């Protein structure tokens, strides 16, 4: 029997789905009040830091990063903050594309897939 853990679920989606040693996150955007793409990127990454800590995940185990930018011409602003956060040592596979993020005034939606050791789970 498959063991699939769905965390923080609502009718249409789960914040995280854990299966076979991979945690699949839904996309996250910044809360209202952050105006620039740099501010929004920093806010979303800080939220991921919280979620990783809460769920025993590690930044160095990120496998895939997907960034959805309202304007792909702003990629350098995103990269400046993201590359400092990821520290280049643990660079995952990833893609950045132009797409309309969910929520009014959001310039970014960010999603990760993260490996974890199932034997370390309680």
């Amino acid at each position: 029997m498959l063991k699939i853990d769905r965390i923080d679920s609502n009718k249409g989606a789960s914040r995280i789905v854990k299966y076979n040693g991979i945690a699949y996150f839904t996309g996250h955007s910044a809360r209202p009040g952050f105006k620039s793409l740099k501010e929004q990127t920093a806010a979303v990454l800080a939220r991921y830091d919280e979620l990783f800590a809460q769920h025993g995940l590690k930044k160095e185990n990120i496998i895939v990063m997907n960034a959805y930018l309202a304007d792909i011409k702003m990629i350098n602003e995103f990269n400046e903050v993201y590359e400092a956060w990821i520290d280049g040592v643990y660079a995952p596979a990833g893609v950045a594309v132009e797409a309309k993020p969910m929520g009014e005034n959001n310039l970014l939606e960010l999603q990760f897939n993260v490996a974890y050791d199932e034997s370390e789970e309680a």
Side-chain angles (χ1 to χ4, degrees), residues 1-7 16-20 24 116:
M1 182 170 161
L2 294 178
K3 183 177 187 302
I4 301 173
D5 293 322
R6 300 173 201 291
I7 301 165
I16 306 168
V17 174
K18 287 183 164 183
Y19 171 69
N20 201 25
Y24 302 88
Y116 67 95

Side-chain angles (χ1 to χ4, degrees), residues 10 17 27 29 31 33 41 43 47 57 63 68 71 73 81 97-98 105 110-111 121:
N10 62 33
V17 174
S29 295
R31 293 185 172 109
T41 302
R47 179 63 178 135
L57 301 170
I63 298 169
Y68 305 95
D71 183 351
K73 293 175 189 163
V81 178
V97 298
E98 184 171 297
N105 300 319
L110 190 59
Q111 185 269 333
E121 289 203 310

Side-chain angles (χ1 to χ4, degrees), residues 2-117:
L2 294 178
K3 183 177 187 302
I4 301 173
D5 293 322
R6 300 173 201 291
I7 301 165
D8 293 338
S9 299
N10 62 33
K11 291 181 182 180
S14 298
R15 179 181 307 272
I16 306 168
V17 174
K18 287 183 164 183
Y19 171 69
N20 201 25
I22 308 292
Y24 302 88
F25 280 83
T26 190
H28 286 272
S29 295
R31 293 185 172 109
F34 298 97
K35 303 292 183 201
S36 74
L37 180 58
K38 285 183 181 182
E39 290 175 324
Q40 289 187 18
T41 302
V44 173
L45 293 172
R47 179 63 178 135
Y48 270 110
D49 283 335
E50 293 170 0
L51 290 167
F52 285 12
Q54 181 181 358
H55 296 284
L57 301 170
K58 299 175 184 172
K59 187 179 350 182
E60 58 263 30
N61 295 339
I62 297 171
I63 298 169
V64 176
M65 175 279 299
N66 295 309
Y68 305 95
L69 304 172
D71 183 351
I72 199 66
K73 293 175 189 163
M74 301 173 81
I75 188 70
N76 291 335
E77 291 179 49
F78 167 77
N79 280 338
E80 183 179 328
V81 178
Y82 170 72
E83 289 171 359
W85 181 81
I86 201 69
D87 197 23
V89 177
Y90 309 113
V95 65
V97 298
E98 184 171 297
K100 178 143 179 59
M102 294 280 289
E104 190 174 341
N105 300 319
N106 283 337
L107 301 172
L108 168 73
E109 190 165 341
L110 190 59
Q111 185 269 333
F112 291 112
N113 299 336
V114 184
Y116 67 95
D117 187 346

